[in-house]
Amino acid sequence: MSISEEKMFILKMLEEGKISSEEAARLIEAIEPQRGTADSYSSSKHQQKKANFTDEVSKVKDKLNEWKNDFKKNYNQKDFDRAVDEFSTKVEKLGKGLAYTTIGVADKLVDFVSSFVETNSFNVFGKYKATNRVFETANVNEGMELSVEAINGHILVKKHMENKVIIRTTVKSPVDNADEILDFSQDENGVALKCNKIGNISVSHEIFLPAVKFKNINLVTKNGKVYVEDSTSENFEAVTSNSNIDLMGVTSDKINVSTKNGRINFGYIIGKDINVNTINSVIEIRQLKTTNINAVTKNGRIFIENVYNHNDDPNINMNLKTSSAGIKVNMNDMEKKGYRVKAQTTNAEINLLIPEMTYRNISKQMASNFVEADSNGYDEYVNKVNIVAETTSGNIEIVK
């Protein structure tokens, strides 16, 4: 990615209030080529650069608008996915480059990416007429399956009091071919709504579910948000790209969610086995009951707060991995649990705010920082919390 493109992203964040002018100045300073000797990078030069920052802002804003206009004017819809993927690749490179030099500010960068990448930011499908369709099922029984696909659009799932599934679909296409695009089916085993075409279309859904336990809930889209509240199932899966996944009040034995360049937000989730995966963005999880959780991202922080045991299972196992960003776990634990922690980072610190710990292994070599620690009498505890946390260029903090 060129210097001007990197500045474009930085100034867009500044324009939308995602970062302050001081943070933007530090980011721009970090990506500019080094000039001259160390002496030439004196305090007076630094002040001069700050004084010229307004001019820099104006230039990069112009570059941003130019880039967006070119995107809307020149893109070939068949290559839309490729264009977005190229954009995402540039963002990933930018995130890596800036994260190593500006720890903390990089979090704000990756947190911003999804809002910029979403197709609505470019109004790609705004010129097309919207066609609406409504699909309703007969009575829904426990153990049924729900499988819904969208493309370049969101999937929103909510609960209602009727004993049927209602799907309200919006299709945007250059021709009036919604019925050719959508494939709805229903039988005694479940409900499915698929997309028969890809490319030059946008399909989004608003889904209303009854208060029954489904066997499987499977939601797939790209370049669109997935939002789900108050659902119950044996297995839950949500997949998107370049946008966020938000789950609130979801209960499932197994939960798998995956995106890239988009945040993952969990609140009041009950799931025995949970897998969370994104790239270049943040994972935030609050109020969770689980036995096993794997949370993996790159260039984005992981924050977990208030984790409780799933049903009668005595153990909580967390595997948390990111890069160029921090990891924080706040248990707010008032009960008696034994903790076992294995944490590793570089160019940053590890803080275990857990009383009565025995440190079995502490290693600080060069920029690497590694800690293994157990609660005193760990094997005697009935309830145990096992945490493996790994990152680079970011602090790790675990609070009981």
Side-chain angles (χ1 to χ4, degrees), residues 256-268:
N256 294 288
V257 299
S258 176
T259 184
K260 63 178 181 179
N261 305 315
R263 291 175 62 104
I264 295 179
N265 300 308
F266 278 17
Y268 296 95

Side-chain angles (χ1 to χ4, degrees), residues 367-386:
S368 180
N369 195 350
F370 177 80
V371 170
E372 283 185 301
D374 292 345
S375 294
N376 295 340
Y378 170 84
D379 292 333
E380 299 175 4
Y381 283 90
V382 174
N383 295 318
K384 298 180 175 68
V385 179
N386 305 305

Side-chain angles (χ1 to χ4, degrees), residues 333-355:
D333 184 8
M334 303 302 293
E335 301 177 358
K336 292 184 177 180
K337 292 187 176 73
Y339 282 78
R340 171 167 287 170
V341 178
K342 182 178 179 180
Q344 182 174 349
T345 187
T346 58
N347 301 310
E349 298 297 325
I350 298 173
N351 298 311
L352 305 184
L353 303 180
I354 305 172

Side-chain angles (χ1 to χ4, degrees), residues 121-162:
S121 298
F122 304 108
N123 293 318
V124 170
F125 302 101
K127 61 184 178 181
Y128 299 146
K129 179 183 176 181
T131 302
N132 298 314
R133 293 287 187 270
V134 178
F135 303 93
E136 294 190 14
T137 71
N139 289 340
V140 176
N141 300 316
E142 294 225 354
M144 293 183 66
E145 299 191 4
L146 175 71
S147 180
V148 177
E149 292 180 357
I151 183 170
N152 300 320
H154 60 249
I155 299 177
L156 310 179
V157 180
K158 300 178 182 179
K159 184 173 71 174
H160 68 165
M161 301 309 295
E162 300 183 60

Side-chain angles (χ1 to χ4, degrees), residues 140-146 187-191 214-216:
V140 176
N141 300 316
E142 294 225 354
M144 293 183 66
E145 299 191 4
L146 175 71
D187 57 29
E188 61 182 8
N189 295 319
V191 178
F214 288 79
K215 180 177 178 61
N216 298 311

Side-chain angles (χ1 to χ4, degrees), residues 15-243:
E15 181 182 26
E16 296 197 356
K18 302 295 183 180
I19 59 175
S20 67
S21 59
E22 290 79 9
E23 289 171 329
R26 289 202 302 271
L27 286 169
I28 289 177
E29 188 174 298
I31 64 173
E32 284 188 335
Q34 298 295 323
R35 298 172 184 156
T37 63
D39 291 339
S40 67
Y41 223 77
S42 62
S43 176
S44 61
K45 289 277 186 178
H46 184 73
Q47 292 300 324
Q48 182 180 358
K49 186 172 291 185
K50 280 192 173 182
N52 294 331
F53 182 69
T54 301
D55 294 337
E56 205 65 54
V57 168
S58 178
K59 292 177 183 177
V60 182
K61 281 185 178 178
D62 291 341
K63 183 66 177 177
L64 168 67
N65 292 327
E66 177 187 337
W67 187 85
K68 287 181 68 176
N69 289 334
D70 286 344
F71 183 93
K72 289 188 287 187
K73 182 174 66 175
N74 297 325
Y75 83 94
N76 181 325
Q77 185 58 57
K78 292 182 179 179
D79 294 330
F80 178 77
D81 292 339
R82 179 186 57 79
V84 173
D85 286 341
E86 288 179 356
F87 176 89
S88 305
T89 300
K90 292 179 180 179
V91 170
E92 181 174 359
K93 290 179 180 178
L94 175 62
K96 288 179 179 179
L98 295 181
Y100 286 120
T101 57
T102 54
I103 296 172
V105 180
D107 279 347
K108 296 182 180 180
L109 171 70
V110 297
D111 201 10
F112 165 75
V113 169
S114 61
S115 65
F116 188 59
V117 178
E118 284 181 353
T119 56
N120 289 337
S121 298
F122 304 108
N123 293 318
V124 170
F125 302 101
K127 61 184 178 181
Y128 299 146
K129 179 183 176 181
T131 302
N132 298 314
R133 293 287 187 270
V134 178
F135 303 93
E136 294 190 14
T137 71
N139 289 340
V140 176
N141 300 316
E142 294 225 354
M144 293 183 66
E145 299 191 4
L146 175 71
S147 180
V148 177
E149 292 180 357
I151 183 170
N152 300 320
H154 60 249
I155 299 177
L156 310 179
V157 180
K158 300 178 182 179
K159 184 173 71 174
H160 68 165
M161 301 309 295
E162 300 183 60
N163 188 28
K164 58 184 177 180
V165 175
I166 299 176
I167 305 176
R168 296 174 180 168
T169 299
T170 300
V171 177
K172 292 183 179 181
S173 172
V175 295
D176 187 11
N177 61 341
D179 293 331
E180 296 177 9
I181 294 171
L182 302 173
D183 182 7
F184 176 77
S185 62
Q186 176 194 357
D187 57 29
E188 61 182 8
N189 295 319
V191 178
L193 182 53
K194 308 292 184 180
C195 295
N196 289 325
K197 296 180 181 293
I198 61 174
N200 194 15
I201 58 172
S202 170
V203 177
S204 58
H205 306 290
E206 187 175 14
I207 305 170
F208 296 88
L209 300 181
V212 302
K213 184 174 182 179
F214 288 79
K215 180 177 178 61
N216 298 311
I217 295 177
N218 183 266
L219 310 172
V220 178
T221 186
K222 58 169 55 178
N223 307 317
K225 179 179 181 178
V226 177
Y227 174 85
V228 182
E229 64 181 34
D230 296 332
S231 72
T232 305
S233 61
E234 292 182 24
N235 301 290
F236 178 94
E237 182 175 16
V239 178
T240 188
S241 59
N242 304 314
S243 198

